[in-house]
Amino acid sequence: METKALRELLSQMSLKEKIGQLLQLTGNFFEEGGEITGPMQDMNLTEDDLWLTGSILGTVGAEKLRKIQETFMEKHPHHIPLLFMADVINGYRTIFPIPLAQGSSFDPAVSRTGASVAAAESAAVGLHVTFSPMVDLVRDARWGRVMESTGEDVYLNRQFARAQVEGYQGKDLSAPGKVAACVKHFAGYGAPLAGRDYNAVELSPRTFRDDYLPAYKEAVDAGAALVMTSFNTLDRVPSTGNKTLMRDILRDEMGFDGVLISDWGAVEELVRHRIAETRKEAARLSMEAGVDIEMMTPCYSSCLEELISEGTVAESLLDEAVLRILELKNKLGLFENPFKDGSAEAENTVVLSKEHLEAAQNAAEQTFVLLKNDDAFLPLCKKDKLALIGPHGDNPLIYGAWSIFASPKDTVTLRQGMEQAGASFRYAKGSPMLDNLRGLEMFKEQLPFEQDLEQKDALLQEALEAAKAADKVVLALGEFNQQSGEAASRGDITLPRCQLDLLREVSKVNENVAVVLFTGRPLDIREVLPYAKSILCVWQPGTMGGPAIARTLFGDNNPSGKLSMSFPWSVGQVPITYAQFPTGRSFDGESKEKYVSKYLDIPNKPLFPFGFGLSYTTFSVSPVTLSGDTLEKDGSLQASVTVKNTGDREGQEVVQLYVRDEYGSVTRPVREMKGFRKVTLQPGEEAEVTFTLTEKELRFTTINGEKATEPGAMTLWIGTSSETDNSAAFVIK
Ligand code: GLC
């Protein structure tokens, strides 16, 4: 439909009809026989309101959504189609590794493919919009939603944000197999005080602009059709009512002209934040901030008519919002085809297709991080007398907490993967998954928790028997998948005591232990280190995690992941990042001095740093060569190294480029990543890796608020983790 026709349509709509477009409800209100029950009354919604709604969330199924759309469009006075939205974060039914794992691949193509597969399956089941990518920068492992982010690094997150938007949307939203992306959570949600979800965020304007904004901007520049507000406050103003953030920064500065949707209930939560006394006041603040769609609360539907009639809110604000929503529906082609490409036939052929499952397995294999591998203990040989022990050994719930449409029956577990790989081994669960269900009671049915607790001793005995009879033990430990995700902050980020006890007891009878670590966040694994010859972090690897891990354990896949987020020595260090700032009392390494920036009881350095990961082979990196030693304004220089596979098997290495602005008008991070490249090398093969570093890429918010570089000395490193000392110097003119 032409924009002119959209404006024509808008002009024909009544005030109520326009307000209806801003309302988003869950699909159950509309499902056949769906009870128009309590929630509606609580929300002051009438039957008429319902048939004026603009969008629904959380309902999937091509036939179900077709029926809802047909019924709805018949009843709507202008037959305007509904938008169908849902959370497809790392896959619909074919579940990819969690985004924090995808970031560890250091290959944006992994996420582009993941988003493309997720879009294809989402479109097949009738969806139009996914509430993804989440691009919040995360540096606090206590926060459960770190699993949804691609990690702690500004530059890495930008590349993955762009890749995900491109994977979801392609070039044309109306094309089959594509859905609109909704970048979230705008803004700064990843830095809640004390790592506690939904808590206030206190960031300096400069840190916000230089570290937290870039990934959102990258996603907007990549064309993300929607942005979602965040629950948190920023500078003590809740995002959803923050006019400066939403109109001045998001729309005016960043040029976002798409649909801004609130997070679930976030408009009404302005009352709980106590910056609005009533739903009416919350509606006013959100409209003035430019929030177009209110998710799951009725402030707009119950108060906007009055606000506009009394002249408190200009009808032009409402018209703007409605037009953006109609434009989104138009870009999706819904006026011509309200069902887009959802169909039962597509659902049967596209969802969980062989190609998709293969893509998910390939992705998982790229994300695993080998943290320890003493004496090249891994890879194993299928002929080894093996034991697979641990509560994650045969656990089908190895997909992230936001895999809301996943089914455990689709998962290939580690045990099944090892069997499919032809290995013979004894399996023993060994221990319960958790010490207790505190905070996880709602997931009780997913874990045979009580039964495991009752049989704890028997489980351990069986495991010790298996360990005694084996040459080598694979110990599958880690977080239950619902221990990370939304509303899953943890103050203690160690493994459950029952799992640590299992590890210690097994290592007493068999010291040849490789730990496979399943987790949605960096953990404090100090107690694991001494008892494991190898530690392979597999995050939450998704539907095909089992075969991916098995292929890695047996050497058919050489792990190439690098940590997308530092593993702290202990929770006392968080938030932690390699990109920290100098202080007036900084020091390198260890210091015996009293009055320096350190702890009395723990080290400053993380247990494993950002960008770290081992391989089954080894690599050398030559000294850095530069194309020149000065960088002019708007100029660039090349920095190169030669990487060589010095081992005896093929491997991939991630070459990382870091820079430091030695002096500035404000303090500058001791290092910032400004490039990375993943290279595959055969044994003995070498390759030159060249980065083009631009002056533009080095700009920051200077003391006078400009985005610029400043003349002066720079240091550059190129290596295989954020701790590389392979450096060169240059100067910005
Ligand atoms: C949730 C999350 C958001 C999600 C939305 C819809 O509370 O914060 O990420 O997209 O609600 O489920």
Side-chain angles (χ1 to χ4, degrees):
M1 191 189 276
E2 294 302 317
T3 304
K4 185 168 172 295
L6 289 180
R7 290 185 183 280
E8 182 55 31
L9 171 58
L10 178 67
S11 67
Q12 293 161 8
M13 293 168 74
S14 70
L15 190 55
K16 254 186 176 311
E17 289 161 358
K18 290 193 278 192
I19 292 168
Q21 287 298 304
L22 280 50
L23 175 62
Q24 179 172 85
L25 297 170
T26 48
N28 59 298
F29 285 94
F30 300 87
E31 284 170 29
E32 202 162 334
E35 286 300 298
I36 308 291
T37 59
M40 225 173 90
Q41 275 102 36
D42 296 350
M43 296 174 75
N44 294 338
L45 291 175
T46 65
E47 178 103 14
D48 290 345
D49 294 335
L50 218 52
W51 302 114
L52 297 180
T53 304
S55 58
I56 64 175
L57 82 155
T59 294
V60 294
E63 286 312 301
K64 182 184 287 188
L65 289 175
R66 178 178 287 269
K67 283 201 183 75
I68 289 175
Q69 192 75 292
E70 279 168 352
T71 311
F72 180 86
M73 288 180 71
E74 266 167 38
K75 290 178 177 267
H76 192 281
H78 299 280
H79 315 296
I80 297 172
L82 284 163
L83 279 167
F84 298 135
M85 307 191 188
D87 293 281
V88 179
I89 308 304
N90 43 269
Y92 170 70
R93 278 289 296 278
T94 303
I95 305 300
F96 275 64
I98 54 173
L100 192 61
Q102 293 182 33
S104 288
S105 72
F106 275 69
D107 181 0
V110 164
S111 286
R112 189 175 292 105
T113 301
S116 182
V117 166
E121 296 195 359
S122 301
V125 299
L127 289 174
H128 305 141
V129 177
T130 178
F131 296 130
S132 179
M134 184 271 217
V135 301
D136 303 317
L137 187 75
V138 293
R139 294 171 165 175
D140 188 330
R142 293 170 296 182
W143 192 51
R145 301 194 75 166
V146 299
M147 50 79 70
E148 290 176 67
S149 167
T150 50
E152 74 179 60
D153 185 74
V154 177
Y155 183 84
L156 187 78
N157 285 2
R158 283 169 45 204
Q159 315 316 311
F160 277 82
R162 174 172 290 277
Q164 292 178 80
V165 170
E166 291 169 352
Y168 285 126
Q169 297 193 160
K171 298 262 183 279
D172 170 7
L173 289 187
S174 67
K178 291 304 170 189
V179 293
C182 175
V183 63
K184 67 188 187 182
H185 305 77
F186 198 74
Y189 181 39
L193 290 176
R196 195 174 76 240
D197 208 352
Y198 314 120
N199 205 2
V201 169
E202 290 291 342
L203 294 170
S204 73
R206 186 168 277 111
T207 296
F208 175 66
R209 283 190 168 282
D210 286 359
D211 295 353
Y212 286 80
L213 265 188
Y216 303 115
K217 174 148 180 40
E218 197 75 36
V220 166
D221 290 349
L226 298 93
V227 170
M228 183 186 290
T229 70
S230 59
F231 288 121
N232 59 283
T233 60
L234 200 57
D235 196 19
R236 302 187 185 181
V237 181
S239 301
T240 306
N242 189 332
K243 191 175 171 185
T244 305
L245 180 64
M246 296 304 174
R247 288 211 185 263
D248 302 348
I249 295 177
L250 177 63
R251 291 203 186 276
D252 296 351
E253 233 180 87
M254 292 166 61
F256 177 65
D257 60 1
V259 171
L260 180 60
I261 184 169
S262 80
D263 202 338
W264 185 295
V267 171
E268 187 166 67
E269 283 182 13
L270 296 180
V271 179
R272 290 191 215 154
H273 279 288
R274 310 182 77 74
I275 66 157
E277 288 189 39
T278 61
R279 280 177 165 175
K280 183 177 176 183
E281 183 60 3
R284 178 184 71 77
L285 290 169
S286 301
M287 274 307 285
E288 289 178 358
V291 176
D292 300 318
I293 296 180
E294 175 181 8
M295 187 189 294
M296 277 310 286
T297 49
C299 302
Y300 282 178
S301 56
S302 54
C303 306
L304 255 189
E305 192 168 357
E306 186 185 348
L307 283 163
I308 290 171
S309 309
E310 70 191 24
T312 308
V313 170
E315 187 161 358
S316 59
L317 290 189
L318 172 62
D319 289 350
E320 271 174 35
V322 175
L323 192 55
R324 285 191 284 259
I325 294 164
L326 296 179
E327 279 167 349
L328 174 58
K329 295 182 179 183
N330 197 35
K331 282 176 188 165
L332 285 158
L334 299 185
F335 288 104
E336 290 74 31
N337 171 11
F339 313 111
K340 202 165 178 294
D341 44 323
S343 73
E345 196 260 330
E347 200 162 339
N348 292 332
T349 55
V350 171
V351 175
L352 288 171
S353 70
K354 183 169 170 293
E355 297 74 26
H356 287 181
L357 292 170
E358 283 171 1
Q361 180 172 331
N362 293 336
E365 291 179 8
Q366 290 292 313
T367 66
F368 301 155
V369 184
L370 186 59
L371 296 174
K372 180 180 181 184
N373 196 29
D374 290 353
D375 315 324
F377 180 70
L378 289 180
L380 304 172
C381 174
K382 290 171 191 168
K383 294 191 178 60
D384 289 339
K385 276 179 72 177
L386 298 173
L388 169 62
I389 297 170
H392 272 287
D394 201 20
N395 173 24
L397 303 174
I398 51 174
Y399 38 73
W402 267 109
S403 310
I404 56 179
F405 303 107
S407 166
K409 67 177 175 45
D410 301 332
T411 306
V412 185
T413 67
L414 174 53
R415 179 182 188 181
Q416 292 163 339
M418 288 173 67
E419 285 164 353
Q420 287 174 12
S424 63
F425 57 94
R426 278 179 64 170
Y427 164 72
K429 190 171 196 177
S431 83
M433 178 73 76
L434 298 163
D435 295 324
N436 56 61
L437 278 176
R438 183 178 169 192
L440 298 164
E441 293 79 4
M442 67 189 286
F443 303 107
K444 190 170 163 183
E445 301 316 314
Q446 294 182 22
L447 278 173
F449 178 69
E450 269 81 11
Q451 169 192 319
D452 287 347
L453 216 50
E454 278 159 27
Q455 296 171 5
K456 192 173 173 182
D457 294 343
L459 288 172
L460 179 59
Q461 286 320 309
E462 185 192 13
L464 295 178
E465 289 312 311
K468 282 175 195 158
D471 298 333
K472 297 179 182 179
V473 176
V474 175
L475 208 44
L477 306 175
E479 276 196 326
F480 171 48
N481 69 334
Q482 296 297 344
Q483 282 186 281
S484 60
E486 183 172 358
S489 294
R490 294 179 60 195
D492 172 355
I493 55 173
T494 58
L495 283 178
R497 180 52 47 196
C498 57
Q499 293 191 35
L500 292 171
D501 292 346
L502 172 65
L503 168 61
R504 200 171 40 252
E505 292 309 315
V506 164
S507 65
K508 282 177 190 167
V509 301
N510 191 325
E511 62 180 10
N512 295 322
V513 173
V515 166
V516 178
L517 184 69
F518 294 79
T519 184
R521 60 166 35 96
L523 294 173
D524 168 356
I525 56 173
R526 277 174 295 150
E527 286 192 64
V528 176
L529 272 182
Y531 299 106
K533 287 196 168 172
S534 301
I535 300 175
L536 181 71
C537 174
V538 298
W539 306 107
Q540 298 291 353
T543 307
M544 297 303 284
I549 298 167
R551 274 177 38 85
T552 306
L553 290 174
F554 295 117
D556 300 318
N557 169 57
N558 185 352
S560 60
K562 299 284 185 178
L563 288 180
S564 54
M565 193 174 173
S566 311
F567 265 54
W569 195 88
S570 80
V571 72
Q573 288 183 333
V574 303
I576 184 171
T577 177
Y578 78 92
Q580 56 183 323
F581 293 96
T583 71
R585 305 279 174 106
S586 298
F587 59 91
D588 288 331
E590 293 301 318
S591 168
K592 295 281 180 264
E593 278 190 68
K594 165 74 178 163
Y595 300 99
V596 291
S597 180
K598 70 176 186 180
Y599 305 94
L600 290 179
D601 53 351
I602 63 173
N604 287 8
K605 280 190 175 299
L607 202 61
F608 295 103
F610 172 83
F612 173 82
L614 301 173
S615 169
Y616 292 156
T617 185
T618 51
F619 296 92
S620 66
V621 180
S622 74
V624 178
T625 57
L626 297 180
S627 59
D629 58 8
T630 56
L631 185 58
E632 308 280 346
K633 183 158 175 42
D634 293 326
S636 64
L637 64 74
Q638 278 68 44
S640 303
V641 293
T642 299
V643 190
K644 182 174 183 177
N645 180 340
T646 52
D648 58 4
R649 55 183 306 132
E650 177 188 287
Q652 293 177 291
E653 182 54 285
V654 179
V655 185
Q656 302 154 47
L657 167 72
Y658 295 87
V659 297
R660 174 175 192 170
D661 197 343
E662 288 300 331
Y663 298 92
S665 57
V666 297
T667 58
R668 307 287 294 121
V670 295
R671 285 189 190 204
E672 287 180 287
M673 188 167 76
K674 291 295 181 182
F676 59 87
R677 192 87 43 78
K678 196 166 197 176
V679 293
T680 302
L681 296 172
Q682 297 306 317
E685 184 184 6
E686 60 184 44
E688 182 172 89
V689 176
T690 297
F691 295 98
T692 296
L693 186 59
T694 65
E695 180 268 333
K696 184 168 185 272
E697 183 58 48
L698 299 179
R699 294 174 189 167
F700 64 98
T701 306
T702 64
I703 192 69
N704 52 29
E706 270 182 7
K707 194 87 173 176
T709 53
E710 297 168 334
M714 301 291 292
T715 303
L716 168 150
W717 294 266
I718 299 181
T720 58
S721 99
S722 58
E723 294 190 341
T724 178
D725 56 10
N726 189 30
S727 68
F730 65 98
V731 172
I732 290 184
K733 276 283 185 222

